[in-house]
Amino acid sequence: FHIAASILIIAGLVAQFVYHRRNGYSNLFSSHSMMGMFTAVTYLIQAVVSSGIFQDFNPRLLRGLRGDFKPFHVILGGFLVVAAPLTIVMGVTEKAFYANLQYGHDSQWWY
């Protein structure tokens, strides 16, 4: 699951930067994009570090490291559970706000 999610996150970030570059938009200009980047990078770091520590490659070597890392793992996981939906809501709200500024209050921004 984490490998597939990591690949999709990287592909999405690359697609976003390519789309912005081709259309002349600036990158990371809003709170939604900064929060999304922070969430994505935090998830990728969490996935890489956790897969290296919590896998049973050498249980005796990593036993102490697992105990030391577990509180950080739990806190970062809880942050990601809150940050991912929050980033989505921020993006939808931003889209609605900019659509209303551009087209007025009667616009249908979800098209």
Side-chain angles (χ1 to χ4, degrees):
F1 173 75
H2 293 293
I3 294 172
S6 298
I7 291 170
L8 290 174
I9 287 171
I10 292 169
L13 289 174
V14 168
Q16 181 266 331
F17 280 107
V18 168
Y19 176 79
H20 278 205
R21 186 173 296 126
R22 284 185 183 166
N23 292 315
Y25 301 132
S26 59
N27 292 311
L28 301 173
F29 70 95
S30 67
S31 58
H32 162 71
S33 58
M34 287 184 270
M35 183 70 175
M37 184 62 75
F38 185 70
T39 303
V41 169
T42 303
Y43 175 80
L44 292 171
I45 290 171
Q46 170 97 343
V48 168
V49 171
S50 298
S51 66
I53 291 176
F54 291 109
Q55 297 298 323
D56 290 325
F57 297 129
N58 190 348
R60 285 180 278 146
L61 180 65
L62 298 175
R63 191 173 300 147
L65 191 56
R66 286 182 189 178
D68 293 339
F69 185 70
K70 186 175 180 182
F72 297 108
H73 180 71
V74 171
I75 290 170
L76 285 176
F79 166 77
L80 290 171
V81 166
V82 173
L86 180 65
T87 303
I88 293 168
V89 169
M90 288 170 70
V92 170
T93 305
E94 180 182 298
K95 177 70 174 173
F97 179 74
Y98 285 128
N100 283 336
L101 283 179
Q102 187 174 4
Y103 300 114
H105 290 286
D106 295 333
S107 69
Q108 294 177 341
W109 57 269
W110 56 84
Y111 287 164

